[in-house]
Amino acid sequence: MFKSIGFAAAATCVLLTGASAATPPALAPFTQFVDAMNAGDAKTAAGTYAPTAVIIDEFAPHIWMSFASWNADAGAEFKKNAVTDFHIALSPASFKNMDATTGYGVAPATLTYKVKGKPIVEKGLFTVSTAKGAGGWHITGWAWSTL
């Protein structure tokens, strides 16, 4: 989505739990997803997901059952509204709960982007779940909540 319609933004240091090196393995896929999206690399972003991840976001239809379907709709939404320069900056997780095979985290975030050239700053929370399978840790779901 991002690369194809010009949303690549300069990648910056993304913090889910502090420095990237300190990110717990259970939450690392989400940090990797954010880094990839900020770099405009949807292929790498897609690789961080379980096949049937649930995504809840603020634009219609509001719920998706895979990264691919969310990415397609997000691309259409961004194109329709002339959104450019999209960037996600995560703060340290405000809550984490992990065990050997599942992870859950809540991270405050700031989204910056332009709509028809006008800068927008949106603050909110990402709530993410992960699971460890044969292929390692993957995102099983996330929800964005605008504050």
Side-chain angles (χ1 to χ4, degrees), residues 57-122:
D57 209 343
E58 63 191 354
F59 60 93
H62 306 291
I63 189 166
W64 297 263
M65 299 306 194
S66 72
F67 170 78
S69 60
W70 172 83
N71 193 48
D73 286 350
E77 183 77 9
F78 280 23
K79 187 173 184 177
K80 177 178 86 174
N81 292 303
V83 174
T84 60
D85 303 319
F86 188 85
H87 184 265
I88 304 166
L90 293 174
S91 295
S94 58
F95 181 83
K96 299 177 276 193
N97 188 358
M98 295 164 274
D99 60 30
T101 60
T102 63
Y104 175 89
V106 178
T110 301
L111 309 181
T112 55
Y113 52 95
K114 293 179 182 174
V115 176
K116 299 179 183 168
K118 179 184 174 191
I120 304 292
V121 176
E122 184 177 344

Side-chain angles (χ1 to χ4, degrees), residues 18-83:
S20 291
T23 301
L27 297 180
F30 194 70
T31 300
Q32 294 161 359
F33 158 72
V34 170
D35 288 343
M37 294 305 284
N38 284 342
D41 185 353
K43 182 178 178 181
T44 297
T48 65
Y49 282 84
T52 57
V54 175
I55 297 172
I56 298 174
D57 209 343
E58 63 191 354
F59 60 93
H62 306 291
I63 189 166
W64 297 263
M65 299 306 194
S66 72
F67 170 78
S69 60
W70 172 83
N71 193 48
D73 286 350
E77 183 77 9
F78 280 23
K79 187 173 184 177
K80 177 178 86 174
N81 292 303
V83 174

